Short mmCIF file of all heavy atoms in Angstrom, two decimals:
data_model
loop_
_atom_site.label_atom_id
_atom_site.label_comp_id
_atom_site.label_asym_id
_atom_site.label_seq_id
_atom_site.Cartn_x
_atom_site.Cartn_y
_atom_site.Cartn_z
N HIS A 1 17.17 11.57 18.71
CA HIS A 1 16.44 10.32 18.89
C HIS A 1 16.06 10.16 20.38
O HIS A 1 14.98 9.63 20.70
CB HIS A 1 17.28 9.11 18.45
CG HIS A 1 17.22 8.85 16.94
ND1 HIS A 1 16.03 8.56 16.33
CD2 HIS A 1 18.18 8.85 16.03
CE1 HIS A 1 16.26 8.38 15.04
NE2 HIS A 1 17.55 8.56 14.81
N LEU A 2 16.91 10.58 21.29
CA LEU A 2 16.64 10.49 22.72
C LEU A 2 15.45 11.37 23.09
O LEU A 2 14.56 11.00 23.92
CB LEU A 2 17.85 10.85 23.57
CG LEU A 2 19.02 9.90 23.46
CD1 LEU A 2 20.19 10.44 24.31
CD2 LEU A 2 18.67 8.49 23.87
N HIS A 3 15.40 12.56 22.51
CA HIS A 3 14.35 13.50 22.85
C HIS A 3 13.01 13.19 22.14
O HIS A 3 11.98 13.78 22.48
CB HIS A 3 14.73 14.94 22.59
CG HIS A 3 15.68 15.50 23.62
ND1 HIS A 3 17.03 15.24 23.62
CD2 HIS A 3 15.42 16.29 24.69
CE1 HIS A 3 17.55 15.85 24.71
NE2 HIS A 3 16.64 16.48 25.31
N ALA A 4 13.04 12.38 21.11
CA ALA A 4 11.83 12.06 20.36
C ALA A 4 10.76 11.46 21.24
O ALA A 4 9.55 11.69 21.03
CB ALA A 4 12.16 11.09 19.21
N ALA A 5 11.19 10.78 22.29
CA ALA A 5 10.24 10.17 23.20
C ALA A 5 9.31 11.20 23.85
O ALA A 5 8.12 10.94 24.02
CB ALA A 5 10.95 9.42 24.33
N PHE A 6 9.83 12.36 24.16
CA PHE A 6 9.04 13.43 24.81
C PHE A 6 8.00 14.07 23.87
O PHE A 6 7.09 14.72 24.36
CB PHE A 6 9.94 14.48 25.43
CG PHE A 6 10.87 13.91 26.49
CD1 PHE A 6 12.20 13.73 26.22
CD2 PHE A 6 10.39 13.64 27.76
CE1 PHE A 6 13.04 13.18 27.19
CE2 PHE A 6 11.20 13.11 28.73
CZ PHE A 6 12.53 12.91 28.47
N LEU A 7 8.20 13.90 22.60
CA LEU A 7 7.18 14.45 21.65
C LEU A 7 5.88 13.67 21.72
O LEU A 7 4.81 14.24 21.53
CB LEU A 7 7.72 14.42 20.23
CG LEU A 7 8.81 15.44 19.88
CD1 LEU A 7 9.39 15.13 18.49
CD2 LEU A 7 8.21 16.83 19.93
N GLU A 8 5.96 12.39 21.98
CA GLU A 8 4.78 11.55 22.01
C GLU A 8 4.33 11.14 23.41
O GLU A 8 3.23 10.69 23.64
CB GLU A 8 5.02 10.28 21.16
CG GLU A 8 5.24 10.60 19.69
CD GLU A 8 5.40 9.34 18.82
OE1 GLU A 8 6.12 8.40 19.27
OE2 GLU A 8 4.88 9.31 17.76
N ASP A 9 5.21 11.36 24.38
CA ASP A 9 4.87 11.03 25.79
C ASP A 9 5.60 12.00 26.70
O ASP A 9 6.63 11.72 27.26
CB ASP A 9 5.30 9.61 26.13
CG ASP A 9 4.79 9.17 27.50
OD1 ASP A 9 4.19 10.03 28.21
OD2 ASP A 9 4.96 7.97 27.86
N PRO A 10 5.05 13.24 26.81
CA PRO A 10 5.67 14.28 27.63
C PRO A 10 5.86 13.85 29.09
O PRO A 10 6.71 14.42 29.80
CB PRO A 10 4.72 15.50 27.51
CG PRO A 10 3.93 15.21 26.27
CD PRO A 10 3.79 13.73 26.17
N ASP A 11 5.06 12.94 29.55
CA ASP A 11 5.12 12.49 30.94
C ASP A 11 5.88 11.16 31.12
O ASP A 11 5.68 10.39 32.04
CB ASP A 11 3.73 12.33 31.52
CG ASP A 11 2.90 13.63 31.47
OD1 ASP A 11 3.51 14.67 31.80
OD2 ASP A 11 1.71 13.59 31.15
N LEU A 12 6.78 10.93 30.19
CA LEU A 12 7.61 9.76 30.25
C LEU A 12 8.27 9.54 31.58
O LEU A 12 8.91 10.48 32.07
CB LEU A 12 8.68 9.74 29.12
CG LEU A 12 9.64 8.59 29.06
CD1 LEU A 12 8.91 7.35 28.56
CD2 LEU A 12 10.80 8.91 28.12
N ALA A 13 8.05 8.39 32.20
CA ALA A 13 8.60 8.16 33.54
C ALA A 13 10.12 7.98 33.48
O ALA A 13 10.65 7.17 32.73
CB ALA A 13 7.98 6.92 34.13
N LEU A 14 10.82 8.79 34.29
CA LEU A 14 12.27 8.70 34.34
C LEU A 14 12.69 8.27 35.78
O LEU A 14 11.94 8.50 36.71
CB LEU A 14 12.89 10.06 34.01
CG LEU A 14 12.65 10.58 32.60
CD1 LEU A 14 13.18 12.02 32.41
CD2 LEU A 14 13.25 9.63 31.55
N PRO A 15 13.85 7.67 35.89
CA PRO A 15 14.85 7.37 34.89
C PRO A 15 14.43 6.31 33.94
O PRO A 15 13.60 5.44 34.30
CB PRO A 15 16.08 6.99 35.70
CG PRO A 15 15.50 6.41 36.98
CD PRO A 15 14.31 7.25 37.26
N ALA A 16 15.06 6.31 32.74
CA ALA A 16 14.71 5.30 31.72
C ALA A 16 15.98 4.77 31.10
O ALA A 16 17.03 5.42 31.05
CB ALA A 16 13.86 5.97 30.63
N VAL A 17 15.91 3.53 30.66
CA VAL A 17 16.97 2.91 29.88
C VAL A 17 16.52 2.97 28.43
O VAL A 17 15.41 2.50 28.10
CB VAL A 17 17.27 1.47 30.31
CG1 VAL A 17 18.11 0.77 29.28
CG2 VAL A 17 17.98 1.44 31.66
N VAL A 18 17.34 3.53 27.59
CA VAL A 18 17.00 3.75 26.16
C VAL A 18 17.86 2.87 25.28
O VAL A 18 19.10 2.95 25.38
CB VAL A 18 17.15 5.22 25.74
CG1 VAL A 18 16.70 5.41 24.31
CG2 VAL A 18 16.34 6.11 26.71
N LEU A 19 17.27 2.05 24.47
CA LEU A 19 17.98 1.27 23.45
C LEU A 19 17.84 2.03 22.16
O LEU A 19 16.80 2.14 21.55
CB LEU A 19 17.34 -0.10 23.33
CG LEU A 19 17.92 -0.99 22.20
CD1 LEU A 19 19.37 -1.36 22.50
CD2 LEU A 19 17.06 -2.26 22.03
N LEU A 20 18.97 2.60 21.70
CA LEU A 20 19.03 3.40 20.48
C LEU A 20 19.67 2.52 19.42
O LEU A 20 20.86 2.25 19.41
CB LEU A 20 19.80 4.67 20.70
CG LEU A 20 19.95 5.63 19.52
CD1 LEU A 20 18.59 6.00 18.92
CD2 LEU A 20 20.65 6.91 19.93
N VAL A 21 18.84 2.08 18.45
CA VAL A 21 19.32 1.13 17.38
C VAL A 21 18.98 1.71 16.00
O VAL A 21 17.80 1.96 15.70
CB VAL A 21 18.65 -0.26 17.57
CG1 VAL A 21 19.42 -1.09 18.59
CG2 VAL A 21 17.20 -0.16 17.98
N SER A 22 20.02 1.82 15.20
CA SER A 22 19.83 2.35 13.84
C SER A 22 20.84 1.70 12.89
O SER A 22 21.60 0.78 13.32
CB SER A 22 19.98 3.86 13.80
OG SER A 22 21.30 4.21 14.17
N GLY A 23 20.92 2.20 11.67
CA GLY A 23 21.87 1.66 10.69
C GLY A 23 23.30 1.94 11.09
O GLY A 23 24.17 1.18 10.76
N GLY A 24 23.54 3.02 11.78
CA GLY A 24 24.93 3.39 12.11
C GLY A 24 25.25 3.31 13.58
O GLY A 24 26.45 3.44 13.95
N HIS A 25 24.25 3.10 14.45
CA HIS A 25 24.51 3.16 15.89
C HIS A 25 23.68 2.13 16.59
O HIS A 25 22.52 1.83 16.27
CB HIS A 25 24.20 4.52 16.43
CG HIS A 25 24.85 5.64 15.69
ND1 HIS A 25 26.12 6.03 15.97
CD2 HIS A 25 24.43 6.42 14.67
CE1 HIS A 25 26.47 7.01 15.14
NE2 HIS A 25 25.46 7.28 14.34
N THR A 26 24.28 1.52 17.66
CA THR A 26 23.57 0.70 18.62
C THR A 26 24.13 1.09 19.98
O THR A 26 25.24 0.78 20.34
CB THR A 26 23.78 -0.81 18.37
OG1 THR A 26 23.24 -1.13 17.07
CG2 THR A 26 23.02 -1.62 19.38
N LEU A 27 23.30 1.76 20.78
CA LEU A 27 23.69 2.30 22.04
C LEU A 27 22.69 1.95 23.13
O LEU A 27 21.47 1.90 22.88
CB LEU A 27 23.81 3.85 21.99
CG LEU A 27 24.71 4.46 20.91
CD1 LEU A 27 24.52 5.97 20.93
CD2 LEU A 27 26.17 4.14 21.21
N LEU A 28 23.14 1.73 24.32
CA LEU A 28 22.29 1.49 25.48
C LEU A 28 22.59 2.66 26.44
O LEU A 28 23.76 2.82 26.87
CB LEU A 28 22.58 0.15 26.13
CG LEU A 28 21.50 -0.38 27.11
CD1 LEU A 28 20.14 -0.49 26.39
CD2 LEU A 28 21.90 -1.74 27.65
N ILE A 29 21.57 3.46 26.75
CA ILE A 29 21.79 4.73 27.47
C ILE A 29 20.85 4.80 28.70
O ILE A 29 19.68 4.41 28.59
CB ILE A 29 21.57 5.89 26.54
CG1 ILE A 29 22.53 5.90 25.37
CG2 ILE A 29 21.58 7.24 27.26
CD1 ILE A 29 22.21 6.83 24.26
N HIS A 30 21.41 5.30 29.74
CA HIS A 30 20.58 5.55 30.98
C HIS A 30 20.27 7.03 31.00
O HIS A 30 21.17 7.91 31.03
CB HIS A 30 21.39 5.17 32.21
CG HIS A 30 20.62 5.33 33.49
ND1 HIS A 30 21.04 6.06 34.55
CD2 HIS A 30 19.39 4.80 33.83
CE1 HIS A 30 20.19 5.99 35.51
NE2 HIS A 30 19.15 5.25 35.11
N MET A 31 18.99 7.38 30.93
CA MET A 31 18.54 8.77 30.93
C MET A 31 17.89 9.14 32.25
O MET A 31 16.86 8.57 32.61
CB MET A 31 17.55 9.00 29.79
CG MET A 31 17.03 10.46 29.69
SD MET A 31 15.73 10.71 28.47
CE MET A 31 16.69 10.55 26.96
N ASP A 32 18.49 10.06 32.96
CA ASP A 32 17.97 10.51 34.25
C ASP A 32 16.91 11.59 34.06
O ASP A 32 15.94 11.73 34.79
CB ASP A 32 19.09 11.06 35.15
CG ASP A 32 19.99 9.99 35.62
OD1 ASP A 32 19.52 8.92 36.00
OD2 ASP A 32 21.26 10.17 35.56
N ALA A 33 17.18 12.47 33.03
CA ALA A 33 16.28 13.60 32.70
C ALA A 33 16.65 14.05 31.34
O ALA A 33 17.64 13.59 30.72
CB ALA A 33 16.49 14.76 33.72
N ALA A 34 15.84 14.94 30.77
CA ALA A 34 16.11 15.48 29.45
C ALA A 34 17.49 16.13 29.48
O ALA A 34 17.73 17.01 30.27
CB ALA A 34 15.06 16.47 29.07
N GLY A 35 18.38 15.65 28.63
CA GLY A 35 19.72 16.23 28.57
C GLY A 35 20.71 15.63 29.56
O GLY A 35 21.87 15.99 29.53
#
């Protein structure tokens, strides 16, 4: 789910704060770079 962003926006500006929300997870993540 974190890497899905790069499929639609390869030039995504980093660092980014990612809100990952689903049926089993709710996470707030700081992404400096891929991985």
Side-chain angles (χ1 to χ4, degrees):
H1 278 300
L2 293 178
H3 281 82
F6 297 103
L7 285 172
E8 296 183 318
D9 189 354
D11 299 319
L12 178 69
L14 296 175
V17 167
V18 184
L19 175 66
L20 181 53
V21 277
S22 66
H25 307 276
T26 298
L27 305 171
L28 197 57
I29 297 168
H30 184 234
M31 179 186 290
D32 292 315

